[in-house]
Amino acid sequence: MLGTIGVLLAALFFGAIGMTAMFRPHNLLKDFGIETTAVDSRNEVRGIYGGFPIAVSGLLLFSLTRPDLSNGILFALAACSAGMAIGRIISAIVDRHLGKIPLLWGMLEVIVAFLIASNITAR
């Protein structure tokens, strides 16, 4: 049961990021000190921070309907979420600094990776 709820929570997490990026691109990265005042910067936010998380959310929901495909989908998406957190750790090592906002997002990415992985079943 935790597995399905975890996948639904992860889908909600990624869906919320994606929808925020699509409709409020100027708000998504402001806590990181990144301005999206140019049209091309908003296009980038909508494409990468909007389109990708929406696709991830859709795949997570799709995995709940196709048990024959779910393990592969869930493994790949858990690895992607964990990879974002690993990127933050590497950045913190290289820059010798990890701010509060990146730390918070990194913790969320680890939690989401766990929630997604919790629905992977042994075959």
Side-chain angles (χ1 to χ4, degrees):
M1 183 64 166
L2 169 62
T4 300
I5 291 170
V7 171
L8 290 171
L9 289 172
L12 180 63
F13 173 78
F14 280 108
I17 292 170
M19 296 307 281
T20 300
M22 287 295 184
F23 296 105
R24 311 273 301 163
H26 54 282
N27 284 347
L28 190 68
L29 300 176
K30 71 178 181 179
D31 290 339
F32 294 93
I34 299 171
E35 296 289 329
T36 55
T37 54
V39 172
D40 288 347
S41 64
R42 290 190 300 275
N43 180 284
E44 184 70 7
V45 169
R46 286 183 176 114
I48 302 304
Y49 293 91
F52 185 78
I54 289 170
V56 168
S57 181
L59 281 169
L60 287 167
L61 295 174
F62 179 72
S63 76
L64 296 174
T65 69
R66 290 293 303 269
D68 57 320
L69 300 176
S70 66
N71 277 353
I73 292 168
L74 296 173
F75 181 81
L77 296 179
C80 287
S81 190
M84 291 187 288
I86 290 167
R88 292 181 193 282
I89 293 168
I90 292 169
S91 182
I93 292 167
V94 170
D95 295 330
R96 294 188 172 112
H97 176 78
L98 182 62
K100 291 178 185 177
I101 299 297
L103 175 62
L104 172 65
W105 279 98
M107 292 182 342
L108 287 171
E109 290 154 357
V110 168
I111 291 167
V112 168
F114 172 78
L115 290 173
I116 294 169
S118 70
N119 209 36
I120 296 173
T121 58
R123 295 192 198 263

